[in-house]
Amino acid sequence: MTQKQDWWVYQGDGAPHDGIRDLPPAPPWRAFRHDGAQRGQLLDPPSTPDHDAVQRHLGRAGQGAAYQAGEREIHLVNLALHLRRPLLLTGRPGTGKSTLAYAVAHELKLGPVLRWPITSRSTLKDGLYEYDAVGRLYDAGLRNAGLGAHPGGRDTDVPPDIGKYLWLGPLGTALLPWRRPRVLLIDEIDKSDMDFPNDLLNVFEEGEFVIPELARLGGEAQHVMTADRREVELRGGEVACAEFPLVVLTSNEEREFPMAFLRRCVRLEIGTPDQARLAGIVAAHLGRVAPAGDGNAEARSELIAEFLARQREMGALANDQLLNALLMAERGLWDGETGRALLRDDLMRPLDRG
C-alpha cells in the first residue's frame, strides 16, 4: 500500500479534495505575476464537472476512486505541481498516459481537462488562438451592403467586433489568469513537426503571449471565447497566467526530443500495469464483481492473467483491448469455445500483428 507523504498535493486515490490550496508558492524562477491578481480579476475554473470525459477515462460516476495511481506517478505529478513544470509522459500506446491528466484534474477539482491533440500539421498558434479574418470581412460586407451610411450622416460601415471572430485554443485558455491551475493535455506530441517542441519553450518559460490582432487596438477591452466555451475579457491582446497550468504531454516514444525541451520537463515513463492496477482500472469502468464462484469473476481473473502474459511475451497490447474483451465476456462470449476464441484471438490480438 502506498504511504502518503506530507508534501503531496495530489494523493492519487481518486477522491476529490481541495488540497490544491496547500500548494506552496512557486519557486522564484517560475512565479508569474499577472496584473489581474492585484485587481482581483482571477478566473475560477468552470464549476460544472466534466462528467462525460471523467467517465470515459476514469470509469462511471462514483467509481473513479478505483483508478489507483502508482507511487512513482504520484511523486512525479507532485514534482510537476511544486516546480510548475510540464510533465512529459512516455510509454507504449494504451498504457493510460492521458488518463493520468484526467485523474489529477478530477481529484484536485481543477475543472475540465483542456485537450490539444497533436498532428504533424500542428503549430504553436493552433494551441494559442484562432482568428477568422475571412468571416469577419464577409460579415462586414453584408453589413455595409444592408446598412450603408447612417441617416444622420454618421458612417456606420464599421467592421464587426473582432472578439466575435477570435477564440483561444487549449494552450491559450490554460494560460488565462485562473485562480487554480488548469490541466492542459498535449496529446501525442511525438507526432508533431521537429520544431514544435522548441516552439513551445518560450510560452512555457514566460507563461504569457500576445494576440497581435487585438494588440493593434491598444488597451481597448475585447471579449473572446475560450476553448471550453466561456467568454473572457482581454485588454491589449495580452494573455498571461497567474498560476502556471499543469501541462501533461504524452508521447508514444516514436521520436526523441531536444535537450533544451527535456530539461524543462519532469519526465515519467508509464510502464505496463501490474495485476492489481489492471483490476482497479477494470473495476472503475465495468464495476466490481462477486467473489470467486461467479462466472464473471472467473472470466475477469483469467482474461487479466492472459492479457498480462501476452503483454510480457508480445508487448503490443493496450488496456482498452482488455476492457473490450471483458465487456464481451460478461455479455456471454465466455460461455462457449467460439466466443473465447474471439476474445483471445481477435479482441486481444497484438497491435503490431496483422
Side-chain angles (χ1 to χ4, degrees), residues 72-327:
R72 180 163 174 77
E73 292 173 346
I74 299 172
H75 277 318
L76 293 184
V77 166
N78 280 289
L79 284 176
L81 286 167
H82 279 264
L83 297 173
R84 276 64 167 184
R85 287 294 186 186
L87 178 65
L88 175 61
L89 304 180
T90 59
R92 295 176 181 272
T95 52
K97 297 185 294 297
S98 61
T99 299
L100 184 57
Y102 289 88
V104 176
H106 173 69
E107 181 180 315
L108 296 181
K109 299 194 289 190
L110 301 180
V113 171
L114 297 162
R115 181 172 176 266
W116 183 14
I118 301 302
T119 71
S120 60
R121 298 180 299 277
S122 297
T123 66
L124 176 62
K125 185 175 178 293
D126 296 334
L128 295 177
Y129 73 98
E130 293 186 42
Y131 172 48
D132 184 8
V134 174
R136 186 174 183 233
L137 288 172
Y138 177 77
D139 287 350
L142 291 178
R143 190 170 168 184
N144 293 345
L147 294 178
H150 189 276
R154 178 169 52 86
D155 185 8
T156 59
D157 299 345
V158 179
D161 183 1
I162 190 173
K164 297 177 181 178
Y165 303 89
L166 192 148
W167 55 95
L168 298 176
L171 176 55
T173 300
L175 290 173
L176 287 167
W178 300 104
R179 194 177 305 278
R180 295 182 174 196
R182 295 296 299 273
V183 176
L184 170 65
L185 172 62
I186 303 180
D187 212 8
E188 299 190 339
I189 189 175
D190 49 332
K191 289 184 177 179
S192 68
D193 177 84
M194 292 298 295
D195 294 329
F196 181 78
N198 281 333
D199 292 341
L200 290 171
L201 291 184
N202 185 61
V203 176
F204 283 172
E205 286 301 296
E206 300 303 324
E208 62 184 23
F209 69 98
V210 173
I211 300 173
E213 291 86 350
L214 298 184
R216 295 189 190 105
L217 303 177
E220 180 182 348
Q222 292 286 336
H223 291 86
V224 302
M225 295 298 292
T226 66
D228 45 11
R229 301 180 182 180
R230 173 172 176 163
E231 188 177 273
V232 295
E233 180 183 286
L234 300 181
R235 288 186 177 274
E238 294 183 354
V239 178
C241 67
E243 283 287 344
F244 190 72
L246 176 62
V247 180
V248 178
L249 308 111
T250 71
S251 167
N252 293 329
E253 301 180 311
E254 294 179 3
R255 58 173 283 194
E256 295 183 354
F257 297 103
M259 291 185 64
F261 176 77
L262 293 176
R263 74 179 180 85
R264 290 171 170 85
C265 297
V266 174
R267 290 184 280 169
L268 169 63
E269 182 174 356
I270 303 291
T272 303
D274 58 19
Q275 187 155 355
R277 174 78 179 279
L278 267 181
I281 294 172
V282 170
H285 288 274
L286 300 178
R288 300 190 183 278
V289 293
D294 178 85
N296 287 340
E298 176 191 352
R300 186 170 293 191
S301 177
E302 287 193 27
L303 279 173
I304 289 177
E306 183 161 346
F307 178 82
L308 287 170
R310 288 190 173 207
Q311 269 196 331
R312 287 192 295 269
E313 295 170 9
M314 306 173 185
L317 283 169
N319 294 347
D320 52 358
Q321 290 178 272
L322 174 62
L323 290 174
N324 291 337
L326 286 171
L327 176 66

